[in-house]
Amino acid sequence: MFAVSLGDDSAELRPLEIWQAEEFLAHMDRARELVDPWIPFASFATDLDSARDLLRRYAEKQAADTGRLYGIWLEDTLVGGVLFRIFDTASGNCEIGVWLEPAAQGRGLITRAAERLIDWAVYERGMHRVEWDASAANTRSIAVAERLGMTRDGVIRQNYLYRGVRHDSEIWSVLAPEWRARAGR
């Protein structure tokens, strides 16, 4: 297995796979309160079978080259994750999603992990557009998009129904030439 260092604090980005379902479920239980108000991701993994199913769906997406899922480990504890929810090589567009448990907040882990994913998408896979879709009320997620140098493309009003409430989505993106210029490449 491979691990990508996220800095000097022992944080690592690693593939998140089916055999890690128990660890993933324990993490989701710790993250649920923070994640659940914004996205249904945590509600998809509420017991061992549903955790395995979610990880299996992403393994299938990876096999089809349409998505990927990675965990963020801090001192060998799974504390968050990043994923390509959409990965469309034909159009050159992808969408990143992120989550973190409360104990790991405030360390820049999500920003650093998202940077690694964008680097890989742009430099290795030749993606042209990387999107970030966040609830307009999720100011922490929007702040990450800003730190990544993304541009706010707009708001899709009442875009999705979640827990009986309609939510606006903010769409942010960075284009490959912008990402390369940011890194001076």
Side-chain angles (χ1 to χ4, degrees), residues 26-47:
H27 158 64
M28 279 288 101
D29 288 341
R30 294 188 304 269
R32 197 170 315 283
E33 186 176 320
L34 184 63
V35 173
D36 208 42
W38 309 115
I39 57 173
F41 193 77
S43 67
F44 295 149
T46 56
D47 58 31

Side-chain angles (χ1 to χ4, degrees), residues 91-112:
S91 69
N93 296 333
C94 60
E95 179 190 325
I96 291 180
V98 300
W99 74 92
L100 197 63
E101 64 184 59
Q105 286 184 308
R107 301 170 187 243
L109 295 171
I110 290 295
T111 302
R112 290 184 275 157

